[in-house]
Amino acid sequence: MESARSELKSLIEDIMISCRGWVDAIIIVSQDGVPVAYSANVDIDPEYVAAATSSIAGATDAVLELINSRGFDAVDVKLGEKRYLLIRRYRDYYVVAVTKPNPNLGFINLVFEAYLSK
């Protein structure tokens, strides 16, 4: 488990650097809502974000089930201060990012795709 945690920590640090300052925080959350690793340039509670992510993912899955869809790969939530909460599936985890205001979402999505599609 410690090896996996170290690998995930390295992954999020690489993503943070590659996003060139557009992302303030990245948290990797297990499917049962536990924060596994995180990196943040702002004050953020990983436990709170993990719980919220679990709720968002569960609600999204429930809605998709109603329309006979097979789950999701990504969820983007636009926040009030023009930031975004981005949720991506990666292996058995969710990768959650909080952006800076008015981010370059296209660039961030390219970085996420490059790192999370491996």
Side-chain angles (χ1 to χ4, degrees):
M1 177 67 177
E2 193 56 41
S3 168
R5 189 179 305 262
S6 177
E7 178 185 331
L8 293 172
K9 182 73 173 162
S10 177
L11 171 71
I12 59 178
E13 288 172 357
D14 289 346
I15 292 172
M16 289 282 285
I17 291 167
S18 296
C19 282
R20 299 182 181 163
W22 287 112
V23 173
D24 274 337
I26 298 178
I27 302 165
I28 297 190
V29 179
S30 67
Q31 289 190 1
D32 59 352
V34 175
V36 177
Y38 76 98
S39 178
N41 297 326
V42 294
D43 187 27
I44 196 164
D45 183 348
E47 297 282 338
Y48 177 74
V49 173
T53 299
S54 185
S55 295
I56 291 168
T60 302
D61 280 334
V63 169
L64 292 175
E65 189 175 306
L66 293 172
I67 59 173
N68 296 321
S69 183
R70 293 188 178 165
F72 67 92
D73 293 324
V75 173
D76 294 356
V77 179
K78 186 174 181 182
L79 305 174
E81 58 276 357
K82 297 184 181 178
R83 293 176 179 263
Y84 285 81
L85 176 72
L86 310 173
I87 302 172
R88 303 290 182 267
R89 287 194 193 256
Y90 176 69
R91 298 182 184 165
D92 292 331
Y93 304 99
Y94 299 109
V95 177
V96 183
V98 177
T99 70
K100 292 210 178 282
N102 300 308
N104 184 337
L105 285 178
F107 179 74
I108 294 169
N109 282 323
L110 286 173
V111 170
F112 273 46
E113 182 68 26
Y115 280 97
L116 302 179
S117 66
K118 296 178 182 177

